[in-house]
Every structure is written in C-alpha cells, then in structure tokens.
Amino acid sequence: MSQTPGRYDFCIGLVLAMSSSIFIGGSFILKKKGLLRLARKGSMRAGQGGHAYLKEWLWWAGLLSMGAGEVANFAAYAFAPATLVTPLGALSVLVSAILSSFFLNEKLNLHGKIGCLLSILGSTVMVIHAPQEEEVETLDEMSHKLGDPGFVVFATLVVIVSLILICVVGPRHGQTNILVYITICSVIGALSVSCVKGLGIAIKELFAGKPVLKHPLSWILLLSLTVCVSTQINYLNRALDIFNTSIVTPIYYVIFTTSVLTCSAILFKEWQHMAADDIIGTFSGFLTIIVGIFLLHAFKDVNFTLANLPLSLRKDDRAANGTLLSTYDSFNDDEESSACLGEMQSTESLSARRNGSLSAF
C-alpha cells in the first residue's frame, strides 16, 4: 500500500472516530433533555417503568445521534488502526461533560476542566504517534491473521477467563467487587473490536464489488460480534446498576482500552512498524487520557474553583507557620499563667492575714 492512500485512509478513520465521539456525547444530552421535559410535564419517568419518552422528539433525536455515532465508530475501524480509534472513544465522555455544563446547567468544577484539558492533550499525542499504516486490507488476510497461533492462544485465554468469571467468580463476588463485571465486558470487548475490524474490511470489499457474502468468515464475524456485544451490554449494565457510575466509567475505559491495545498488538502487529518514540508517545497519551478521565469523574461532586485556590494557599501558609505561632503563643500563655498564679497567691495571703488565719504564716 502506498503512503498516500494509507495517509488518506488514516485521516478518514480519524475524522470518523472524532465524529463518533461528538455524536455519542451529544446523544446523552439530547436524551437527558427529553427525559427532563417529560418529568416537568408530570409523565411517568423511565426509571419507574414509564414509556412516555417514546413520544418525545428530543429523546428520538438522541437515539438517532447515538446510532450515527456507533455507525461512524464502526466505519472508523475499517480505515484506521484500533490503537487509534478505541482510545479516542474517551472524547465522547469529554463532549458529554462540556455540553452538560452548557445545556443541563451541570457545573464543571476545576478538576473537571483540568480533566477535559488533559483528555484533549492525551488524544492529540495519541493521534500524532499512532501507526498510520494498516496491515489488513482483505478478508483473506484477516482470516490468516485470525489463524495466527499467538492470537489463537490470546482468544482462548480470553474465553476461559471470561467463563471462569461468569460461572464461578461472578455469582460469589460480582455484587461486592467492582472489577468482576467490568473485567468480563472489557476482555470480551477486545474480541468484539476485532470482529468489528473484520466486518469493516468486509464492508469495504462489498462496496468494491467483491463477493464477501459468500465468504464464511463474514458470517462467523457477525455471529461472534452479536455474542460479544450482548455479553458486554449485559455485564456492563449489571456493573452500572450496582456501583457508582463515576467509578465504573473510568475503570471500564482503562481495562477495556488496555485489552483492545493488547489484542491489536497480537492480531494486527501494528506495533512492529512503530518507532520507539511513537510507542512511548502512544502510551504517554493513553496515560494522560486516563488521568483526565479520572479527574473528570472522581471529583465531579467536589465544589472547587479557582476562587478557592488563594484561600487554600493561605491555609497552607498558616499551617507552615503554625509551629512558630504555637511556640510563641505557648510562651505568652506560660507568662500569663505565672503572673495570674502569683497574683492569686498574693491575694490569698493578704486575705488570710486580714482574717487572722494561721495558715497564712
């Protein structure tokens, strides 16, 4: 593949991935606006089992926006590496946080603003250092990659670990340990991304006029994707139902993206064509996004702004000078206590003498 077509496909995949984040992030705002409008009208809420949202056009607009985002994300895997597309999914969280502060009157504190900035910087670093050449262009090449011993071992381990977590660990510890259900949907998600990548290649070949519908791999990938996505949705919903969303979202992003990067390294071997500085840059960008997502979610309920910063610094200054002040105050207190004690003793002695008390002598 020549450099120009590869660069062109990379740019298409990048635009599709960013568009996906914008559509998905905006869909949450549209749906929330629709549900809030229904609540003001007094309709039965969705959490109480109501279905009045089906008559609200804002809710449908949000659903269509999410559908457009998922389609764009699906198509992005056909043009750009999974190493790039998957981490950029964090931008949907960023878009949702920014739009909610404008349209839902949800305040974005200082930690959230710093988290948004770090997420943007991390995404930019990943885009700069991501691999710009694709290894797989046809279903036959994809079939060869899937038959690679390294990927077969990886997929087998994923299935075994998932079954153990689902059948053994989940029933015992799923209600108390947040990592159980999140790990299930994350490691299964790595396989689903591989299926999406293969189906994206099949769609490209279909538009090119090739008989991909007769290729058995197309149907195997479609069936596998259905099973993986169903499992993901099931256990992610369980995690969200039991644990706090602000905790589930960043943990799921980290484990899911790490699983996808590992799967991509084994299946597509994109890392073999990357220089050392690009590998370091990619991981640095990924870690920066993780920190940004953590700040955005972990401290979202903390009311902290720039106006509070000088006050905090003054408190720190007081704490730093606390030892000197306490010593000085202690010295003054000792002097005052001694003076008071002496005065009390003199008063008692004089009183005793006036009363003729022998104890005074």
Side-chain angles (χ1 to χ4, degrees):
M1 181 173 63
S2 62
Q3 182 69 20
T4 301
R7 182 72 179 180
Y8 179 72
D9 286 349
F10 177 84
C11 292
I12 292 178
L14 175 61
V15 171
L16 287 171
M18 296 182 67
S19 301
S20 170
S21 297
I22 294 174
F23 279 118
I24 293 176
S27 70
F28 293 112
I29 308 302
L30 291 171
K31 285 184 176 182
K32 185 70 174 181
K33 290 284 286 185
L35 294 174
L36 290 175
R37 178 183 292 186
L38 289 173
R40 286 194 297 267
K41 293 179 180 178
S43 302
M44 183 178 290
R45 306 184 66 167
Q48 299 172 346
H51 300 283
Y53 59 85
L54 295 176
K55 299 179 181 179
E56 177 58 51
W57 69 270
L58 273 175
W59 186 88
W60 281 105
L63 182 64
L64 292 175
S65 178
M66 178 168 284
E70 293 297 343
V71 170
N73 186 65
F74 184 90
Y77 283 104
F79 294 94
T83 310
L84 171 68
V85 177
T86 302
L88 287 181
L91 292 179
S92 62
V93 181
L94 172 65
V95 171
S96 178
I98 294 176
L99 293 180
S100 64
S101 65
F102 285 100
F103 297 102
L104 298 178
N105 296 322
E106 296 181 359
K107 294 183 179 180
L108 193 63
N109 59 14
L110 182 61
H111 297 91
K113 293 175 182 178
I114 296 176
C116 291
L117 179 61
L118 289 175
S119 298
I120 294 174
L121 293 177
S123 300
T124 304
V125 171
M126 291 205 69
V127 170
I128 294 174
H129 293 281
Q132 299 181 5
E133 292 184 356
E134 273 302 291
E135 286 292 312
V136 183
E137 294 181 347
T138 65
L139 279 179
D140 291 332
E141 293 180 1
M142 187 68 181
S143 177
H144 178 72
K145 291 285 186 182
L146 292 174
D148 185 78
F151 179 75
V152 172
V153 172
F154 173 78
T156 303
L157 288 176
V158 166
V159 173
I160 293 175
V161 170
S162 300
L163 290 176
I164 293 175
L165 290 175
I166 292 172
C167 300
V168 180
V169 182
R172 298 179 181 177
H173 307 286
Q175 300 290 324
T176 56
N177 193 326
I178 191 174
L179 293 177
V180 176
Y181 291 149
I182 293 180
T183 303
I184 293 173
C185 55
S186 297
V187 296
I188 292 294
L191 296 181
S192 67
V193 168
S194 302
C195 296
V196 168
K197 183 74 173 178
L199 288 175
I201 295 172
I203 293 174
K204 287 177 66 177
E205 287 193 308
L206 181 63
F207 286 133
K210 297 181 179 180
V212 295
L213 297 179
K214 297 181 179 179
H215 203 297
L217 182 60
S218 301
W219 301 104
I220 293 175
L221 291 174
L222 182 60
L223 178 62
S224 301
L225 179 62
T226 303
V227 174
C228 290
V229 170
S230 301
T231 305
Q232 277 183 267
I233 294 175
N234 180 27
Y235 286 96
L236 183 58
N237 285 336
R238 292 191 186 188
L240 291 172
D241 185 53
I242 298 171
F243 304 101
N244 195 323
T245 305
S246 62
I247 301 176
V248 172
T249 302
I251 294 177
Y252 173 66
Y253 172 78
V254 171
I255 300 179
F256 172 71
T257 307
T258 303
S259 301
V260 172
L261 293 178
T262 304
C263 181
S264 177
I266 295 174
L267 179 60
F268 302 112
K269 297 180 175 61
E270 295 165 343
W271 302 91
Q272 292 182 355
H273 303 280
M274 296 176 66
D277 57 341
D278 288 331
I279 295 177
I280 295 173
T282 300
F283 278 108
S284 299
F286 177 49
L287 292 176
T288 304
I289 295 175
I290 291 175
V291 174
I293 294 296
F294 175 77
L295 289 176
L296 187 61
H297 282 275
F299 301 99
K300 68 177 184 178
D301 296 326
V302 178
N303 187 15
F304 186 81
T305 62
L306 284 174
N308 304 123
L309 194 56
L311 180 61
S312 300
L313 292 177
R314 288 198 296 271
K315 290 181 179 179
D316 293 339
D317 291 339
R318 292 195 194 102
N321 297 326
T323 305
L324 179 60
L325 291 174
S326 60
T327 304
Y328 179 75
D329 292 340
S330 178
F331 177 74
N332 288 339
D333 290 342
D334 291 340
E335 285 188 340
E336 291 176 359
S337 299
S338 300
C340 292
L341 182 59
E343 184 178 352
M344 290 174 63
Q345 289 176 347
S346 300
T347 303
E348 289 177 357
S349 177
L350 181 60
S351 176
R353 287 172 183 172
R354 286 177 180 174
N355 295 331
S357 175
L358 294 176
S359 63
F361 296 96

